[in-house]
Amino acid sequence: MILMTGTAGKTGRAVIRALLAQGEVIRALVYRPVDGLNVQETIVGDMRSPTILNQAMQGVRAVYFIAPNMSPDEFEMGRLAITAARSAGVEQFVYHSVLHPQIEAMPHHWQKLRIEEKLLESGLPFTILQPAAYMQNIMAHWSRIVDQGIYPIPYAAATRLSLVDLQDVAAAAATVLNQPAHYGATYELAGTNPLAQTDVAQILSQVLKRQVQVKVMSLDAWKRDADAAGLGRYQIDTLVSMFRYYDRFGFAANPNVLSWLLGRPPTTFDEFIQRVVQEQSQ
Ligand SMILES: NC(=O)c1ccc[n+]([C@@H]2O[C@H](COP(=O)([O-])OP(=O)(O)OC[C@H]3O[C@@H](n4cnc5c(N)ncnc54)[C@H](OP(=O)(O)O)[C@@H]3O)[C@@H](O)[C@H]2O)c1
């Protein structure tokens, strides 16, 4: 049995689908009761609780640890999960980290780096996955892209970012959970070489067969929208740090490692958008 945390989010659901397809038995730790996960066991509880984590780890072969997106408590959750996994004698701890966790200017990356450090020191057989930004993040702007031809971003149009299809990340997660050969490994998971945001808009235009243009919004305008949408202070500040970093340095990686893990080239951004269009037409 595999324990998964952070299960009800978009990452958790994608990894669950990939694991179930390969016949794994899953225990899901969820924050609150949730329908439609289709896993064999569910435990409801808070990842900040050592009692809940100890209970969740009992009898599992491996743990796939996903922390909530941009939580001020991420490091503490990771530290507690590693401690609980050690005392339960878990055979493999897979940590869903992030590409380039060593960037101190981005607090959520820095917290992940410190969890990685705890994992290295734990003595547990570990695998660390470091995904790039998901292609799926663009879905937050999908209706504006399709209806108005506007791709809104709070950094320069020339910013170059590597992206990855979350389905490829989930396939890689299922692979590393299936084979001891991946113990002790840290893998960067990028699906593309860095793409300028103008390239992204061009691919959107080609696949959607309509003109899509980058619209650069100011950070103040972005913050006002995020506030109005009810995003918390920590999340807003963290995302602003991330956007400033992207604007200054971009966020580049290389798809070689993911190609090797998948045994095929990763999904391109073009293919991802074609798949979205096809799914929406069904
Ligand atoms: N988005 C990207 O491009 C990207 C790229 C690389 C890495 N990542 C990383 O991937 C991870 C997952 O991201 P995501 O967007 O899928 O996460 P998410 O949507 O925030 O989901 C995380 C889940 O954790 C649950 N949760 C929150 N607080 C909890 C607590 N105290 N105890 C137990 N469960 C709790 C949430 O439950 P509720 O829904 O009930 O609140 C949610 O279901 C993050 O660490 C993120 O940094 C993301």
Side-chain angles (χ1 to χ4, degrees), residues 29 45-55 77 80-81 84:
L29 175 58
D46 192 324
M47 267 193 270
R48 290 166 293 196
S49 156
T51 312
I52 289 291
L53 287 169
N54 284 330
Q55 186 193 337
M77 291 175 188
L80 292 173

Side-chain angles (χ1 to χ4, degrees), residues 8-11 32 46-47 66-67 69 96-97 112 131-132 134 137:
K10 67 177 162 210
T11 307
R32 47 200 129 216
D46 192 324
M47 267 193 270
I66 301 173
N69 205 12
H96 190 94
S97 183
K112 284 182 164 63
Y134 306 152
N137 295 345

